[in-house]
Amino acid sequence: MKITRRNFVGGVAGMAGLSLIPTRGFAQAKAPSAPVTITVVDVAGNLALTQGMFENYAAAKPEWVSSFAFTKAPAPELPSKIKAQQAAGKVDIDLVLTGTDALSAGLDQGLWVDLSAHKASLPNLESILLPQAFKMQALAKDQGVVITYYPSGPLIEYIPERVATPPKTAAELLEWTKANPKRFMYARPANSGPGRTFLMGLPYLLGDSDPHDPVNGWSKTWEYLKALGENIEYYGTGTTQVMKELGEGTRDIVVTTTGWDINPRVLGIVPAEAKVGTLEGFHWVTDAHYAVIPKGVSEEKVGVLIDVINFILQPQQQAIAFDEGYFYPGPAAKGVTLDMAPQESQDAIAEFGRPEYEDWIANNPLEVPLEPAKLVDAFRIWDEQIGASKG
């Protein structure tokens, strides 16, 4: 069965009342004078995981929120839009759901509310987040909160009938692309989770001098990406495009992550028989989605948003993040298991999940992504030296 978000939101709505019970590690925020409308912009595909949580909040606490208005935007475009609104004194975006890309750009430009002054009202993040998710929390510099997490990648995905002998090393992948020009693809890292995971994972695969320094420590990575680019027709503008081309047969091998492997097969975008693999020397580069509040949002709304964050980090709501495997596993909080998820999510992962993932997660190093300023440097260098070669 093809599963959509609407299939299971109703299944968890009955749990909304449970989430109002005070839970250890969670705090109480100040109620607004009247219900508010919250505008949420998603630049990470996060609503696939969390929209049900927000809707449950609106249903459970109508005296706090009258409604949520959801929109989506490309991650590279949002920071300049918010900066322009702040300069005009008219910020109409209340909450941003982002990966490390727009998070980092916003930190670099000073766009986000510093939440350190609100710690008394925020959850005790160290006590409730998974250990690796809490490491991801450090990247937010107190200007955002991790709401979903996964080990990510980088993985390669391929169609077995078209790739009889998949590459096992980075060198073999390069040789394969030379022998099969235009049949390999990945998306621009600044707008793609798998793209940036591949970018940050290569220094480990290639044995670069400093995987945490893209400016001075990635000589092998930049050389490799330039050589790889000679055999790539163009870079996808986003991951969805890459997966569609794999499914349509335009590409035979693409870069992926756990969630971007599972979810497109659930949705029928990629054939169910597609396979995944790791490359020798593989390290996971973990990923997370964050809730960040732009400067200029009213204090009353900030209080509501902190209450929303408390709500969606509770285990009953976090279980929705298993979704259709899009960010597999997905939950950032401790104590959330698949059997807590809506039945449709359990069924999708049972059919399209991969048993090897548990072994790979347990037996390969888990690395935190680049610090925000370094990630901005990595995106800039890729755009100038790699992406620009394809226009």
Side-chain angles (χ1 to χ4, degrees):
M1 177 179 91
K2 181 179 177 181
I3 302 169
T4 67
R5 163 147 301 282
R6 298 298 168 188
N7 290 113
F8 63 79
V9 167
V12 295
M15 297 190 291
L18 294 175
S19 297
L20 297 179
I21 300 172
T23 304
R24 186 176 180 182
F26 293 87
Q28 296 293 320
K30 183 179 178 181
S33 58
V36 297
T37 297
I38 298 294
T39 299
V40 180
V41 176
D42 176 17
V43 298
N46 179 263
L47 285 172
L49 311 172
T50 61
Q51 185 168 336
M53 304 178 198
F54 288 107
E55 291 172 349
N56 285 347
Y57 181 91
K61 306 192 78 170
E63 72 278 15
W64 288 64
V65 168
S66 56
S67 65
F68 288 97
F70 302 111
T71 60
K72 299 179 181 180
E77 297 176 9
L78 185 70
S80 59
K81 179 178 181 179
I82 290 176
K83 192 169 185 178
Q85 290 184 1
Q86 290 170 338
K90 296 180 179 180
V91 176
D92 61 14
I93 296 170
D94 301 315
L95 186 69
V96 176
L97 307 176
T98 178
T100 54
D101 40 18
L103 169 73
S104 299
L107 288 170
D108 186 56
Q109 297 178 46
L111 303 183
W112 313 131
V113 169
D114 186 344
L115 297 175
S116 59
H118 300 273
K119 281 190 175 179
S121 299
L122 282 166
N124 182 336
L125 297 177
E126 186 171 8
S127 71
I128 66 170
L129 292 178
L130 295 165
Q132 200 68 23
F134 186 66
K135 290 182 181 179
M136 296 293 294
Q137 176 61 35
L139 298 178
K141 309 294 184 185
D142 287 326
Q143 295 177 44
V145 176
V146 168
I147 54 174
T148 51
Y149 160 81
Y150 81 138
S152 194
L155 308 170
I156 60 168
E157 186 165 2
Y158 59 94
I159 306 301
E161 67 179 21
R162 305 202 296 263
V163 185
T165 306
K168 298 295 184 185
T169 68
E172 287 182 10
L173 176 61
L174 178 58
E175 289 305 310
W176 187 91
T177 65
K178 290 178 180 178
N180 300 272
K182 301 181 181 180
R183 306 302 296 178
F184 171 76
M185 189 181 201
Y186 68 98
R188 182 190 178 202
N191 198 41
S192 167
R196 69 175 176 267
T197 302
F198 181 56
L199 179 64
M200 291 186 284
L202 277 173
Y204 298 100
L205 294 171
L206 298 171
D208 245 325
S209 60
D210 186 353
H212 298 285
D213 186 355
V215 176
N216 301 306
W218 283 21
S219 59
K220 294 179 181 178
T221 294
W222 298 123
E223 180 182 358
Y224 180 88
L225 287 171
K226 289 174 184 176
L228 198 65
E230 294 176 4
N231 312 312
I232 293 173
E233 185 174 7
Y234 57 85
Y235 300 100
T237 55
T239 316
T240 298
Q241 176 191 0
V242 173
M243 292 302 161
K244 285 181 178 178
E245 296 205 16
L246 178 67
E248 293 166 355
T250 311
R251 316 296 161 190
D252 297 334
I253 301 179
V254 299
V255 169
T256 194
T257 60
T258 58
W260 276 102
D261 158 42
I262 296 172
N263 187 249
R265 290 186 296 116
V266 172
L267 299 178
I269 296 170
V270 172
E273 62 270 20
K275 298 294 184 183
V276 292
T278 61
L279 300 176
E280 185 179 308
F282 169 67
H283 289 217
W284 294 101
V285 177
T286 59
D287 200 2
H289 288 160
Y290 300 80
V292 296
I293 304 172
K295 291 178 180 177
V297 173
S298 70
E299 280 299 309
E300 185 172 58
K301 282 193 174 183
V302 170
V304 172
L305 290 166
I306 287 173
D307 194 62
V308 172
I309 290 169
N310 273 279
F311 182 90
I312 66 177
L313 281 176
Q314 296 189 37
Q316 301 95 327
Q317 301 304 319
Q318 282 283 294
I320 300 172
F322 280 104
D323 186 57
E324 300 161 337
Y326 164 64
F327 212 62
Y328 182 80
K334 297 174 183 175
V336 184
T337 55
L338 183 58
D339 60 0
M340 297 168 63
Q343 189 60 49
E344 293 91 339
S345 297
Q346 296 184 43
D347 294 344
I349 292 170
E351 182 175 357
F352 294 97
R354 299 192 191 272
E356 59 263 42
Y357 281 156
E358 299 312 306
D359 175 66
W360 291 355
I361 293 170
N363 294 302
N364 288 283
L366 292 157
E367 308 290 350
V368 175
L370 294 174
E371 286 284 327
K374 298 290 188 182
L375 186 58
V376 171
D377 285 338
F379 288 160
R380 173 183 55 78
I381 296 169
W382 189 93
D383 285 346
E384 291 173 356
Q385 298 187 14
I386 311 301
S389 67
K390 304 293 180 183

